Amino acid sequence: MIRQLSTPIIEVWDRVLTVPIIGMIDSGRAAELMDNLLQAVAKSRARFAILDLTGVEEVDTGTAGHLLGLVRAVRLLGSESVVTGIHPNIAQTIVDLGLETAGMTVRATLREALAHCIRAMADARKSPASKTM
């Protein structure tokens, strides 16, 4: 129960989940986070999952790989991940490792990430391609 509370998954808008991540992320916590988030995305039919890393100042190489794997796994469920609050140390680790970040949506703050999600959903409703015949 304490581990679940340490990384809550919160619906901050209709079909928008956010995960505020605080503290160190080891491989066990990363695996648990992936399982919980993927279950929540599927259950809520979320369109977006915001991973807020504001509370994480450093990650090791394995954890960086887990986080990028989480982004890819959410995409496989038909949702988009938005990563926010990346500290300079984390950015440097990801670049130094040469991890693939193409297609990853990143915003500086949680507010900017939420605005991105709301705007994208509004644009999808306006798009003629999104209307059914």
Side-chain angles (χ1 to χ4, degrees):
M1 181 66 132
I2 292 173
R3 286 187 74 131
Q4 285 184 325
L5 291 175
S6 70
T7 313
I9 299 171
I10 306 162
E11 186 170 10
V12 293
W13 197 262
D14 184 38
R15 299 184 66 203
V16 179
L17 302 177
T18 190
V19 182
I21 303 171
I22 299 170
M24 192 63 190
I25 305 171
D26 60 14
S27 60
R29 186 172 176 207
E32 185 175 317
L33 172 61
M34 180 176 289
D35 184 52
N36 292 342
L37 182 58
L38 294 179
Q39 294 297 327
V41 166
K43 182 179 179 182
S44 68
R45 299 180 48 166
R47 172 69 183 88
F48 292 94
I50 301 171
L51 303 174
D52 184 11
L53 301 177
T54 304
V56 180
E57 293 185 20
E58 200 170 298
V59 295
D60 61 20
T61 57
T63 303
H66 282 298
L67 289 173
L68 293 176
L70 180 56
V71 168
R72 288 190 302 271
V74 167
R75 188 178 310 136
L76 288 172
L77 294 179
S79 298
E80 179 183 339
S81 291
V82 181
V83 180
T84 185
I86 294 179
H87 283 265
N89 295 342
I90 297 172
Q92 186 172 0
T93 298
I94 290 171
V95 170
D96 287 348
L97 292 172
L99 297 174
E100 182 59 47
T101 58
M104 188 167 91
T105 303
V106 179
R107 295 291 182 266
T109 66
L110 179 58
R111 177 183 287 243
E112 290 174 17
L114 185 56
H116 164 80
C117 298
I118 293 168
R119 195 170 33 254
M121 288 190 297
D123 290 347
R125 280 192 280 269
K126 293 178 188 175
S127 171
S130 67
K131 295 181 181 174
T132 57
M133 299 186 122

